[in-house]
Amino acid sequence: MTSRRTVLAGALAGMLPLPLHAQGSLRAPDTAFEVERFPLWPKAPPGGDGLTVADQFVQRSASRPDPEDIAWPHVATPMLTVVKPARPNGAAVLICPGGGYARVAVGRQGSGIARDFAARGITAFELLYRLPHDGWAAGPDAPLQDAQRAMRVIRAGAGTRWTIDPAHVAVTGYSAGGHLAARLASRSAQAVYTQTDATDRLSARPMVAGLFFPVITMLDDGVHAQSRRELLGSHAADAEWQRRYAAQLDLPADMPPSYVACNGDDPVVPMRNSLLMYEALHAAKVPAALTVYEHGGHGPPSAHKDGTPVDWVGAFLGFTRDHGWPG
């Protein structure tokens, strides 16, 4: 099922307080974006035989209910929400939201981050991915299956369905979504599901990656315990599984250029995750940059003392332009 609607970014930004992960520094509040939402897989997702999981979302704040401030503790139908800019520049970005792998914190009409990218001419694709605790056969690889499929769907529609260049597709991830984005960037060639159609013959490799206040490690040093517990389930204490799903380990030579950013005062995901990822990228000779902001907690960095927003998306785009992505 596909739904289309025109969303006034300025009106939504003024009416709807955005969830923390979705806040962005909107540059064009009067821009109108077209938003499209559709299922990721042509039929049922892989590995769901015998499952009775159903899509379920909850309000993230009971005191301030907001139709877009929601999270999904159960996902049966992975979805892509596309925010289309009025004047696309040919670049596209896949956005992987967070939620500690216990849920996916994303709405249905495009987050502030998605609209921020769109305001800059970048077609933004926001991913609602499956969660391991729902019993999918792939276990911890179920989210990666969805991320790989999403990259291929984006490329399949390039130039026909959307005005984008299939060579200019990036990935960004936030919190636990940063772990998923990092794994997509480093494991894009790993076959984690059986091909279902011609789309699955396309590359799943992003051109560049942006990892923001990310969960990275599954080892004890710096671990975000909830993400490890939810991702690995009964194997959470197994050293072999911890190593297998630690995103900073075994980076391939063709890992895309990667930008890592976090806040020094993050009380949720230890800053150590970002440091470990940057150190691993540097050791593997992968082009990389690391930004540690002073304040911001678990989310985008705080505004400057004079009230001006920190253009953290712009900092990421500065890095990507140095590496050929025309964002």
Side-chain angles (χ1 to χ4, degrees), residues 165-245:
D165 183 336
H168 291 156
V169 186
V171 67
T172 61
Y174 307 82
S175 193
H179 180 268
L180 178 56
R183 292 202 70 226
L184 174 66
S186 65
R187 301 291 183 264
S188 59
Q190 178 180 329
V192 292
Y193 67 90
T194 303
Q195 291 184 2
T196 61
D197 54 22
T199 294
D200 286 329
R201 292 195 288 271
L202 300 175
S203 172
R205 181 183 183 272
M207 183 179 180
V208 292
L211 313 175
F212 298 93
F213 40 100
V215 170
I216 293 296
T217 191
M218 293 290 126
L219 307 178
D220 288 342
D221 180 17
V223 71
H224 180 241
Q226 181 195 48
S227 292
R228 180 168 69 182
R229 182 174 63 251
E230 293 289 342
L231 183 69
L232 303 185
S234 62
H235 299 285
D238 187 315
E240 181 182 346
W241 280 67
Q242 291 175 4
R243 178 177 175 80
R244 185 185 311 171
Y245 289 95

Side-chain angles (χ1 to χ4, degrees), residues 140-325:
D141 284 331
L144 182 59
Q145 290 179 333
D146 292 340
Q148 287 189 356
R149 173 71 184 182
M151 288 294 294
R152 291 166 175 145
V153 167
I154 293 168
R155 289 199 163 102
T160 54
R161 190 171 183 176
W162 306 294
T163 308
I164 59 175
D165 183 336
H168 291 156
V169 186
V171 67
T172 61
Y174 307 82
S175 193
H179 180 268
L180 178 56
R183 292 202 70 226
L184 174 66
S186 65
R187 301 291 183 264
S188 59
Q190 178 180 329
V192 292
Y193 67 90
T194 303
Q195 291 184 2
T196 61
D197 54 22
T199 294
D200 286 329
R201 292 195 288 271
L202 300 175
S203 172
R205 181 183 183 272
M207 183 179 180
V208 292
L211 313 175
F212 298 93
F213 40 100
V215 170
I216 293 296
T217 191
M218 293 290 126
L219 307 178
D220 288 342
D221 180 17
V223 71
H224 180 241
Q226 181 195 48
S227 292
R228 180 168 69 182
R229 182 174 63 251
E230 293 289 342
L231 183 69
L232 303 185
S234 62
H235 299 285
D238 187 315
E240 181 182 346
W241 280 67
Q242 291 175 4
R243 178 177 175 80
R244 185 185 311 171
Y245 289 95
Q248 79 273 24
L249 299 182
D250 303 321
L251 301 182
D254 67 343
M255 176 86 174
S258 299
Y259 179 85
V260 186
C262 65
N263 298 310
D265 63 351
D266 190 333
V268 178
V269 174
M271 180 178 65
R272 180 69 174 147
N273 284 263
S274 293
L275 301 181
L276 287 168
M277 191 66 195
Y278 176 76
E279 290 170 355
L281 291 162
H282 185 71
K285 296 181 169 52
V286 175
L290 171 67
T291 300
V292 180
Y293 294 96
E294 184 178 4
H295 300 296
H298 189 57
S302 301
H304 296 292
K305 288 184 177 179
D306 64 2
T308 58
V310 176
D311 189 11
W312 56 278
V313 174
F316 167 62
L317 297 181
F319 170 82
T320 64
R321 283 191 289 270
D322 286 343
H323 296 283
W325 190 63

